[in-house]
Amino acid sequence: MSRSLLSLLPVLLLLLLLPPIGAFTSPTPNLRSSTSLRSKPLKLIITGAPASGKGTQCENLKVKYDLKHLSTGDMLREAVANGTPTGIKAKEYMDSGKLVPDTVVCGIISDSLSSCATGFLLDGFPRTSSQAETLNSLMHDNGLGSIDCVIYLDVNEESLVERVTGRRIDPETGNSYHVKFKPCTDPEVTQRLIQRSDDTEEKVKVRLQEFRANVDAVNGAYGDKVKTVDGNKSVEEVWEQIREIVDKV
Ligand code: AP5
């Protein structure tokens, strides 16, 4: 063997020992973690009747999947509290349990989506077929593709009324409690808890009518991306169902 070939021997041996190209770039699919190795940001919608538990489950979802939580109810309440032009337009609708006009709601969601290149979780939007169409165009215009999954919390009416009327909010932190299902244990917080102005038995009837009038059209816009969850169960059991669905998206 020539001297030059001998000097190349260590390099040739190294090449033989190296794994084939691609072994580092394509990990075994079943070893992928649902969160850390997700190739695309998740785009989720959570939907359901008033007090079906959307906000409660969003707390888990946004942490586990690192999502930006976009709740139109929270945005509108903030606008009302700050007396902004949007808040002034929305207030009378919200106080009566009616849906705020599509143009007003789509305006606030448009602002939030344009700065949302990472994953997001829409809570309480879209609520009408027209809002679903607007969302579609907004996502297209912002290069966000399409919605991955719609989680629909299905809860019976009797439970909804009980959840609405028993809900209490801490005005300082925005944290939500329930007199029976999630009582507040801090006496100082308990004495400042308030009830949302639309959380009465009378208003929830209007909110439910609005919900029933639109639910089929909204869910229909997403076809088999809609995954129904039994929302009558405990918070933990509902979360287990949601986690299983989202892990497979
Ligand atoms: P919004 O704030 O979105 O109200 P909503 O849809 O009626 O939903 P809620 O916030 O009442 O309930 P939730 O499903 O989040 O339940 P939560 O987890 O808090 O909208 C308010 C208003 O804004 C609308 O009426 C409308 O006017 C306007 N608006 C908003 N978006 C709009 C849009 N897109 N278009 C037009 N108008 C719009 O749980 C409720 C209670 O139950 C809590 O006390 C909780 O502790 C308890 N709970 C939760 N899960 C469970 C469980 N599994 N078991 C027992 N208790 C539970």
Side-chain angles (χ1 to χ4, degrees):
M1 204 177 285
S2 76
R3 229 168 228 235
S4 55
L5 264 180
L6 265 177
S7 66
L8 280 175
L9 211 54
V11 181
L12 289 171
L13 273 172
L14 191 67
L15 283 174
L16 279 173
L17 289 171
L18 275 177
I21 292 169
F24 292 126
T25 51
S26 51
T28 318
N30 59 9
L31 289 181
R32 276 172 189 271
S33 124
S34 61
T35 49
S36 58
L37 290 179
R38 201 178 280 284
S39 56
K40 288 186 301 169
L42 264 180
K43 291 152 289 178
L44 303 180
I45 292 175
I46 188 161
T47 182
S52 52
K54 302 183 291 295
T56 301
Q57 297 300 333
C58 282
E59 292 305 309
N60 293 327
L61 273 162
K62 70 180 182 190
V63 173
K64 163 102 175 135
Y65 299 100
D66 194 18
L67 303 171
K68 187 167 170 186
H69 179 204
L70 303 173
S71 155
T72 41
D74 288 349
M75 291 177 203
L76 288 167
R77 275 184 289 278
E78 195 183 334
V80 171
N82 293 333
T84 66
T86 298
I88 292 164
K89 282 185 215 146
K91 188 174 182 335
E92 64 166 288
Y93 295 94
M94 295 177 79
D95 283 347
S96 62
K98 293 217 171 270
L99 288 183
V100 173
D102 290 338
T103 46
V104 178
V105 182
C106 291
I108 57 167
I109 212 74
S110 161
D111 295 343
S112 315
L113 272 185
S114 58
S115 62
C116 210
T118 54
F120 61 80
L121 169 61
L122 284 164
D123 165 7
F125 183 91
R127 261 175 155 107
T128 63
S129 55
S130 153
Q131 291 181 15
E133 278 166 32
T134 304
L135 175 62
N136 213 6
S137 335
L138 283 172
M139 289 184 68
H140 179 265
D141 295 349
N142 286 290
L144 294 169
S146 58
I147 291 294
D148 295 307
C149 177
V150 177
I151 298 154
Y152 170 55
L153 299 181
D154 191 17
V155 179
N156 70 53
E157 217 159 297
E158 202 183 314
S159 301
L160 292 172
V161 174
E162 191 180 20
R163 288 186 193 179
V164 161
T165 51
R167 173 167 48 193
R168 299 292 182 271
I169 307 289
D170 177 356
E172 281 187 22
T173 61
N175 289 341
S176 170
Y177 298 89
H178 192 281
V179 290
K180 180 172 164 191
F181 303 120
K182 193 185 168 193
C184 178
T185 49
D186 181 335
E188 198 185 318
V189 177
T190 305
Q191 51 101 21
R192 66 173 185 242
L193 292 180
I194 54 160
Q195 198 169 12
R196 253 168 59 176
S197 65
D198 57 348
D199 269 355
T200 63
E201 210 165 332
E202 180 202 354
K203 308 264 177 73
V204 79
K205 283 187 189 141
V206 182
R207 289 162 68 194
L208 278 169
Q209 270 167 16
E210 295 276 48
F211 169 74
R212 282 193 225 105
N214 292 290
V215 60
D216 289 342
V218 174
N219 285 351
Y222 295 98
D224 60 8
K225 287 185 179 169
V226 178
K227 307 292 174 204
T228 302
V229 164
D230 180 357
N232 297 297
K233 304 205 161 163
S234 71
V235 171
E236 293 73 24
E237 287 169 312
V238 175
W239 169 238
E240 271 312 300
Q241 296 176 67
I242 295 176
R243 204 184 46 73
E244 236 174 72
I245 291 167
V246 179
D247 274 350
K248 287 186 196 140
V249 172

